[in-house]
Amino acid sequence: MVSAREPCAALLEANPNDVDGLAIDGLIKFTTGYVEEAEVVFRRLIEIRPGNPEDHFNLARVLTRRERVDEAIKEFDEALRIRPDNLRPVEGKAQVLVIADRKDEAKALLKDHISKGDDLPSFGLILGTIAEQAGEYSEAVDIIERYAGSSKADAPTNRQLFLLLGRALEKLERYDDAFRAFRRGNAYGAMPYDREGFMDRVERTKRIFSRKNMKSMPKSGIDSELPVFVTSMPRSGSTLVERVIDAHSQAKGVGEIIVMHRVALESPNTLKTQRPYPDCIETATRKGLQTLGRQYLDEAEKLADGADRIVDKTLETWQHVGLVQMALPNARVINVRRHPMDTCLSCYMAALNPTVHTFAATLEDLAYHYRAYDTLCKHWAEAANIDYMEIRYEDFVDDQERWTHDIIDFCGLPWEDGCLEHHKRKSGLVMTLSYDQVRRPVYKSALARWKRYEKHLGPLQSLIGDLVKEYDA
C-alpha cells in the first residue's frame, strides 16, 4: 500500500478530484496511521460521488479507529442501505458493537440477518467470540465448528476461526484438541519470516546505537515530556500498563498509533540520505533529529486532548529506543516482559495479522523473533541514556499496587487512587486483542499457561531454553 503513495500523489496533483486517486490516498492514510487525514479524504469522496457504499464503509472503519462508535455505526448503516446485498457493513457494525461492549446488540443484529438467509463465516467468528467471552465455551465450540474450514471463508477468517476454537477448547481443558486447532489456524495465510534479515537489522541497530555512539551523537532540542512509550512483544501486558496510566486524570492512552515506527522507516527520505534506517541516524544532525522528533509530536499532540502524558503502546517501539533517545530525549519508555514460553505461546494462539507479525505462525519463528527482541532490549537496558523502565508481567500481577505506584511515579505524575481501578474506567475503546481483558481486574489465570501444552512445545523450548532459565532465575 505504501508503495502506491508516490504515483497516487502524482495523480492527485494532476487532478485533485480524481476519485480513484482519492480512494487510494484515503486507504494509504488509514493503513499508515494518518486516521484524521483519512477521514477528511473519505468525507470529500462522499461529497464528490454520493451514493458509493465503499466510501461510507471506509469512513466507518476510520471512525471506528477514532473511537467514534455511533458515527461509525451510522456510516455502516448507510453503506448497507445503499447496497443491501453487501454484508461487509453488517460485519463491521457487529465488530464495533462487540468492542464497545454492546454484545447483545451485535448478537441480535447477526442473528436477524442469519434468520433471513444472510450469513457469512465472519458472522460465526463474531458470534463465537461473544459466546467465548461470556464463558459459554461449549456453545462457542458448536458455533465455530459450523464455520471453521469452510470453503466460503477466506484464509484470514479461517485462521481466526480455528484460533478462537482453540481458545474455547482450552477453557474446556481439551488441551490436545486446542493445540491442534492452533496449529491448523496458523497454517492459514502464513507468510515467510526472514529470520536472518531481521536479526541483521537488530545487530545493525545495536552497532549504530552503541553506548559510545549515543553519548557522542547529537540530540534534538525538543524538551517535550508528552510521550510515554509502552512497548513489548505482542500479548505481554502492554495494554494493561497503558490502561493503568490512562486511568490517571493527566494522562491519555492513544493505543498503537505506529507513528514512531513510521518516522523511523521513513527517516532516510526525511534526512535526504541514501543510507537506510537505522544507519542514516548515525550521521543525522541536530536539525535532522529535531525534524524527526517534530514529525512524531505533530501527530501525538493532536491526540493528547490537553493531557500532560500520552501513552503510545505501539509494540514495535522496542526496535527504535535509540531513535527515541536522539529525537525525543525527554520521552519515557516502558518495556513489558513476560515469561518467554508464555509470550510465544500466547502469540501462537492469538489472531495476530500474519502479514504484519510474520513470525507468529510457527513455534520456530516465534523463538527466533523472541530472541531478537530479548537481544535488543538487553542492549537498551545497558546502553540507552533515557528514562527506560522494564516491568515483568508476572511481577505486576503478583503485586499490582506496588507496580502501579512505580509506573505512575516513573511517568512523573502525582499519585491517584483511581489508577488501581483502571478496569472500571470508561475512557474509550481498546482497539487491540486485549479489549475484553482490560475490562476485568488483574487476573492470574494466564500465568504459566504454557505448561498445559508442554508436550507440544519441544521446538520452542529447545530454541529459547537458555532464556527461560535466565527468566526463571
Side-chain angles (χ1 to χ4, degrees), residues 192-204 365 368-369 372:
Y193 171 64
D194 184 3
R195 298 177 186 175
E196 292 183 3
F198 192 80
M199 185 57 84
D200 176 68
R201 195 168 78 186
V202 165
E203 292 300 326
R204 282 167 46 219
D365 285 345
Y368 276 91
H369 194 79

Side-chain angles (χ1 to χ4, degrees), residues 100-379:
D101 206 21
R102 294 163 59 179
K103 296 171 188 174
D104 288 343
E105 293 177 60
K107 192 173 181 179
L109 171 69
L110 295 178
K111 288 195 169 184
D112 178 60
H113 277 273
I114 291 171
S115 70
K116 297 174 183 177
D118 297 332
D119 198 3
L120 292 174
S122 56
F123 290 5
L125 176 63
I126 297 169
L127 289 170
T129 298
I130 293 170
E132 192 269 339
Q133 292 179 356
E136 299 165 351
Y137 306 122
S138 294
E139 180 182 345
V141 169
D142 290 342
I143 292 170
I144 301 161
E145 285 183 336
R146 292 202 297 270
Y147 295 91
S150 168
S151 59
K152 296 180 180 179
D154 59 16
T157 303
N158 263 322
R159 175 187 178 84
Q160 293 184 71
L161 282 165
F162 277 107
L163 293 172
L164 178 60
L165 176 62
R167 295 192 294 275
L169 289 166
E170 179 188 50
K171 295 295 177 58
L172 296 171
E173 300 183 2
R174 294 169 54 184
Y175 300 125
D176 290 345
D177 291 338
F179 197 82
R180 279 191 285 272
F182 296 139
R183 183 184 291 119
R184 188 167 178 188
N186 278 301
Y188 283 98
M191 302 290 287
Y193 171 64
D194 184 3
R195 298 177 186 175
E196 292 183 3
F198 192 80
M199 185 57 84
D200 176 68
R201 195 168 78 186
V202 165
E203 292 300 326
R204 282 167 46 219
T205 300
K206 288 171 59 181
R207 185 176 66 253
I208 297 298
F209 295 106
S210 67
R211 185 177 185 85
K212 179 180 178 181
N213 282 354
M214 284 196 286
K215 284 183 176 180
S216 61
M217 289 164 67
K219 295 181 178 61
S220 81
I222 295 173
D223 60 2
S224 173
E225 295 185 59
L226 178 68
V228 177
F229 294 95
V230 177
T231 187
S232 69
M233 281 279 288
R235 314 300 296 149
S236 296
S238 60
T239 300
L240 175 61
V241 173
E242 178 200 29
R243 297 294 280 186
V244 164
I245 306 171
D246 177 72
H248 196 285
S249 63
Q250 297 174 32
K252 181 184 178 185
V254 296
E256 299 181 29
I257 60 174
I258 71 170
V259 176
M260 182 53 71
H261 189 57
R262 187 176 65 235
V263 167
L265 298 185
E266 296 178 357
S267 58
N269 291 332
T270 304
L271 299 174
K272 296 180 172 54
T273 177
Q274 297 299 312
R275 299 185 71 183
Y277 177 82
D279 306 63
C280 61
I281 306 300
E282 188 174 32
T283 56
T285 63
R286 178 184 173 92
K287 183 178 179 181
L289 292 166
Q290 187 103 2
T291 300
L292 295 175
R294 196 65 249 170
Q295 284 180 341
Y296 177 85
L297 287 177
D298 285 346
E299 295 296 315
E301 287 169 351
K302 295 175 186 177
L303 305 172
D305 291 337
D308 293 330
R309 302 285 184 273
I310 63 161
V311 190
D312 176 348
K313 67 167 294 287
T314 303
L315 299 184
E316 290 85 357
T317 303
W318 63 266
Q319 302 172 35
H320 309 302
V321 174
L323 176 59
V324 171
Q325 177 175 318
M326 299 295 107
L328 297 165
N330 288 341
R332 295 167 170 86
V333 179
I334 300 175
N335 178 33
V336 188
R337 285 183 172 272
R338 187 181 177 190
H339 191 283
M341 294 294 290
D342 275 333
T343 297
C344 293
L345 177 64
S346 189
C347 289
Y348 190 70
M349 296 164 62
L352 299 176
N353 185 335
T355 62
V356 176
H357 305 286
T358 56
F359 58 86
T362 73
L363 296 176
E364 293 83 357
D365 285 345
L366 272 161
Y368 276 91
H369 194 79
Y370 185 91
R371 187 171 288 280
Y373 160 80
D374 180 79
T375 295
L376 191 52
C377 289
K378 285 174 179 171
H379 172 76

